[in-house]
Amino acid sequence: MLTLAAAPAALVLAAPATAGPPTHHELPAPVGTAQLQRPERAHAVPLVVLLPDALGDEGRAAPYVAALERNGIASLVLGLGIASERGGPGTDPASSTMAAGVALTWAAAQPGVAAGQLGLIGLGAGGRAALAAAEAGGPVVAVDPGCTGLALPDWMPSLLVFGRAAPDADDCIALEEPPAGVIRGVPGLSHGWDVRPELAPGSALMPDPLGGRRRVSPNPAAAQAVADQVAAWLAHQFAARGERQ
């Protein structure tokens, strides 16, 4: 069990990468509209699909997109609104394992994406879906997915990030790390630290991946710090896979 710092950590990131404007694409159901952000590099780059929580993206992917870009990694963000309108409030189908598979298949066919260099980040309910789709997508990160009954992949590299101040943190601490997995707790954080503060006034209640509601505590500084470390972990995984190919 490793501890992830809640403040900006001393990480050596890749040289900053410039990027053009994001582009929006309509993917097959159940994805809907997705946002593609690709660093402007002459060579093909890895790509990470970001699965939203149950209410859709709502801007929560932004710090991860920025951190991935700085590490020379493209991103494809799901759950931008059209999909959640289809599914109804709190049931965004873009946070499903099926959506992950559709998005990964689409991403693999895009020009400028390195062959065999795809990954997943899932937030909340999307984290549980990302773990379930891990075998199809390479390295996977589950952020604040709720750990009760959680299954981590045995051999695909995985990173589970949770708040050590969350009411259910003991469930995450009790999980056994698989051979290729890492479990990291963030001191001082509870749930939903990457939720935009204006969307959670007074520590609002939001859907719990396990059902019901849970109170969220936004923390923008910690959200960016965690995103930086998640992106650095993914960059390391992609580099290792590239050396083996």
Side-chain angles (χ1 to χ4, degrees):
M1 175 76 63
L2 299 179
T3 297
L4 197 67
L11 290 172
V12 178
L13 301 179
T18 59
T23 57
H24 292 83
H25 305 267
E26 184 70 14
L27 273 63
V31 174
T33 303
Q35 175 183 291
L36 176 65
Q37 179 74 62
R38 185 184 182 280
E40 290 185 345
R41 296 287 179 89
H43 55 81
V45 298
L47 182 144
V48 171
V49 173
L50 290 103
L51 300 179
D53 206 341
L55 295 179
D57 174 59
E58 297 188 314
R60 290 175 66 180
Y64 301 95
V65 170
L68 290 167
E69 181 184 317
R70 287 192 293 272
N71 281 269
I73 301 171
S75 60
L76 184 69
V77 179
L78 312 190
L80 299 185
I82 290 179
S84 57
E85 289 171 7
R86 290 196 196 103
T91 57
D92 190 342
S95 64
S96 68
T97 302
M98 182 180 295
V102 169
L104 289 168
T105 298
W106 183 89
Q110 300 310 299
V113 174
Q117 296 277 51
L118 296 174
L120 290 162
I121 296 175
L123 310 180
R128 300 182 79 90
L131 288 170
E135 295 301 328
V140 58
V141 180
V143 179
D144 195 23
C147 292
T148 302
L150 196 66
L152 301 180
D154 286 336
W155 300 109
M156 188 62 68
S158 63
L159 170 62
L160 168 64
V161 184
F162 69 97
R164 294 185 69 93
D168 57 353
D170 287 347
D171 291 335
C172 299
I173 294 171
L175 288 173
E176 183 176 350
E177 286 186 343
V182 178
I183 300 173
R184 291 182 178 173
V186 188
L189 296 187
S190 184
H191 288 301
W193 61 83
D194 51 12
V195 173
R196 290 160 51 199
E198 63 270 24
L199 297 180
S203 295
L205 294 172
M206 300 186 73
D208 188 315
L210 300 175
R213 296 267 170 172
R214 64 185 184 183
R215 195 167 300 280
V216 299
S217 300
N219 187 327
Q224 188 61 69
V226 170
D228 286 339
Q229 294 174 74
V230 164
W233 182 84
L234 283 164
H236 175 76
Q237 299 302 319
F238 288 133
R241 294 189 78 177
E243 291 173 358
R244 292 194 298 268
Q245 290 177 348

